């Protein structure tokens, strides 16, 4: 009750309420090492000795705003298809992550495509190798059936967001004129997108110069930087 009451009065009234005003600086001690590789890849290392886990966070500066005319939903579909990338005769990115990581997820917004994985610290090199495969975008290793399966998945996701329902005109009202955010990323053209379209998007957009890599958790800066 005292805390609630203190929140409702000015600091000058606190002594009369039997409370004292104190000042304590907020201290956040976090070592963050940032650098850029020759390839253009931007990297941030955030070590945390309190855990035995590592997080691998890759963000590409590409999203629905990069969908070409007549191919609404391409960036989102490319995100899904990237999990089907595989080396010749090898496992897919998704299958490898299922083995190496504890959890992993991805999403696409207007401006970015985000891939995040959480793994035990000894698996850091494995997860980085998997993301390197995704970044190389060897589309020849994507099975044709992956496109149809993921097309349905993306379509269902968009239906769940109700992007085609009564909320669809909201973006146009918020961002009028020719503002790039003024049109909903409805994925209306998903049915017309071919595997070659998605592969071209991956090859052109999933590049080191468009990526930001953040590694956090139980890592040592020197060895992580070497990786």
């Amino acid at each position: 009750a005292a805390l609630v009451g203190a929140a409702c009065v000015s600091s000058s009234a606190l002594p009369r309420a039997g409370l004292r005003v104190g000042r304590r600086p907020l201290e956040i001690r976090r070592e963050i090492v940032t650098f850029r590789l020759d390839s253009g890849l931007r990297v941030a290392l955030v070590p945390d000795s309190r855990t035995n886990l590592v997080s691998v966070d890759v963000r590409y500066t590409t999203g629905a705003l990069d969908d070409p005319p007549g191919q609404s939903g391409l960036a989102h579909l490319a995100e899904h298809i990237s999990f089907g990338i595989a080396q010749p005769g090898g496992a897919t990115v998704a299958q490898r992550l299922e083995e190496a990581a504890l959890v992993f997820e991805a999403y696409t917004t207007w401006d970015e495509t985000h891939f995040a994985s959480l793994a035990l610290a000894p698996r850091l090199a494995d997860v980085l190798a998997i993301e390197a495969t995704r970044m190389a975008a060897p589309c020849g290793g994507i099975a044709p059936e992956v496109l149809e399966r993921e097309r349905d998945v993306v379509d269902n996701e968009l239906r769940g967001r109700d992007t085609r329902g009564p909320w669809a005109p909201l973006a146009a009202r918020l961002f009028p004129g020719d503002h790039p955010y003024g049109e909903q990323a409805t994925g209306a053209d998903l049915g017309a997108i071919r595997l070659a379209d998605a592969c071209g998007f991956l090859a052109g957009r999933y590049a080191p110069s468009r990526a930001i890599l953040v590694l956090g958790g139980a890592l040592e800066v020197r060895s992580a930087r070497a990786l």
Side-chain angles (χ1 to χ4, degrees):
L3 289 176
V4 174
C8 299
V9 298
S10 66
S11 59
S12 61
L14 291 179
R16 295 197 300 272
L19 301 175
R20 292 187 300 174
V21 177
R23 296 183 181 275
R24 184 173 64 180
L26 176 64
E27 295 184 10
I28 300 177
R29 298 181 180 179
R30 180 77 69 194
E31 178 187 9
I32 302 177
V33 178
T34 62
F35 54 95
R36 186 187 292 262
L37 300 181
D38 292 341
S39 63
L41 178 68
R42 288 166 285 178
V43 183
L45 307 178
V46 190
D48 187 345
S49 60
R50 299 170 298 176
T51 180
N52 65 341
L53 303 176
V54 289
S55 62
V56 178
D57 186 293
V58 184
R59 293 172 187 258
Y60 294 94
T61 56
T62 188
L65 286 181
D66 295 315
D67 287 347
Q71 293 188 322
S72 173
L74 178 58
H76 193 171
L77 184 58
E79 169 225 309
H80 280 248
I81 287 176
S82 73
F83 284 97
I85 291 174
Q87 300 289 358
T92 66
V93 165
Q95 290 167 338
R96 293 166 65 189
L97 283 172
E98 287 171 356
E99 190 276 328
L102 300 174
V103 293
F104 60 92
E105 62 178 350
Y107 64 80
T108 300
T109 68
W110 282 112
D111 307 293
E112 67 171 352
T113 305
H114 178 206
F115 300 96
S117 301
L118 186 69
L120 293 171
R123 303 307 301 268
L124 175 59
D126 298 324
V127 177
L128 284 177
I130 296 168
E131 290 302 333
T133 299
R134 192 199 312 268
M135 187 176 292
C139 261
I142 298 179
E145 59 268 21
V146 171
L147 174 66
E148 300 309 321
R149 183 186 69 226
E150 297 305 323
R151 195 200 309 271
D152 290 340
V153 173
V154 172
D155 189 60
N156 286 332
E157 285 186 8
L158 292 171
R159 291 179 186 276
R161 296 177 191 172
D162 197 26
T163 58
R164 303 162 196 174
W167 290 101
L170 181 59
R173 297 289 296 275
L174 291 173
F175 304 101
D178 59 353
H179 194 286
Y181 292 168
E183 183 176 347
Q184 281 283 318
T186 62
D189 304 310
L190 281 173
I193 295 175
R194 303 166 302 164
L195 183 57
D197 298 324
C199 288
F201 189 93
L202 290 171
R205 299 288 178 173
Y206 283 29
S209 59
R210 301 183 67 96
I212 303 167
L213 171 65
V214 180
L215 305 181
L219 56 87
E220 193 275 322
V221 170
R222 181 176 299 178
S223 59
R225 183 163 187 161
L227 285 174

